[in-house]
Amino acid sequence: MNTAMKKNICLLATLFLFCGQIAFAQERPEIGPYVEAYSGPKLEEVWMLRIGARAANEVIIQIAGVDHEWNHSISKCSVKKDGATTSYVVLVNDKPHTLLVKKSHTGLELHLPNEKEVIPLTYNKELSLEGNREAFLTDYLRAQKVEK
């Protein structure tokens, strides 16, 4: 293979890689301006970020620090408001499951699937400030590609 052909192959490979990055970047949905983080009494952490337009009422949520199959999982939830109560609902086996409940200003309650224990969570400013919106979205999008 001559030098000119090698250069052309390298150029084409770079072009395909660049185009793939542009396509991936264009697929990224709108996200909220910040990550909210909550913590529980036993090192539980819940990270939350709006995804899509505000009117869509959807968030992505990551749970960490729990002895459960959902540890470090990221799920998309719909947000349902009923007076002073806000519920975050995810589909589990095609059925709605209320994952989080926020009542007025009392913090959150985490309701993991197939668990009776409710885990109380409070807003954690320090964790929230550590949240990286773009990295969180990237992790979610990667997880979606793996599931498909």
Side-chain angles (χ1 to χ4, degrees):
M1 192 179 298
N2 65 31
T3 305
M5 187 176 247
K6 287 180 184 177
K7 285 182 181 178
N8 285 338
I9 290 172
C10 286
L11 181 62
L12 282 174
T14 303
L15 182 62
F16 283 123
L17 179 63
F18 180 71
C19 289
Q21 289 174 339
I22 289 173
F24 182 71
Q26 290 173 339
E27 294 173 13
R28 295 175 73 81
E30 176 185 336
I31 54 176
Y34 56 89
V35 176
E36 288 182 36
Y38 296 82
S39 56
K42 298 179 184 174
L43 304 176
E44 301 93 346
E45 294 176 352
V46 171
W47 303 76
M48 187 182 314
L49 175 66
R50 176 175 56 83
I51 188 168
R54 284 180 53 85
N57 290 319
E58 293 183 320
V59 296
I60 51 177
I61 293 175
Q62 182 173 33
I63 299 165
V66 294
D67 184 13
H68 190 272
E69 64 185 276
W70 281 35
N71 191 45
H72 294 289
S73 67
I74 302 176
S75 304
K76 184 190 250 186
C77 295
S78 58
V79 182
K80 311 286 185 196
K81 295 184 180 186
D82 184 18
T85 302
T86 303
S87 300
Y88 299 84
V89 180
V90 63
L91 289 178
V92 178
N93 298 323
D94 296 323
K95 295 180 183 175
H97 172 78
T98 301
L99 185 61
L100 294 166
V101 176
K102 182 191 267 184
K103 296 180 183 176
S104 195
H105 298 291
T106 60
L108 285 177
E109 296 175 346
L110 175 59
H111 300 261
L112 290 167
N114 303 315
E115 295 290 331
K116 293 179 183 177
E117 179 185 4
V118 174
I119 301 170
L121 303 165
T122 55
Y123 178 73
N124 188 316
K125 183 177 180 178
E126 291 77 26
L127 280 179
S128 295
L129 292 173
E130 290 176 21
N132 181 318
R133 303 171 329 118
E134 294 298 331
F136 191 8
L137 178 60
T138 297
D139 289 347
Y140 171 72
L141 294 173
R142 283 185 183 144
Q144 293 305 298
K145 286 187 176 191
V146 169
E147 288 179 12
K148 290 182 180 180

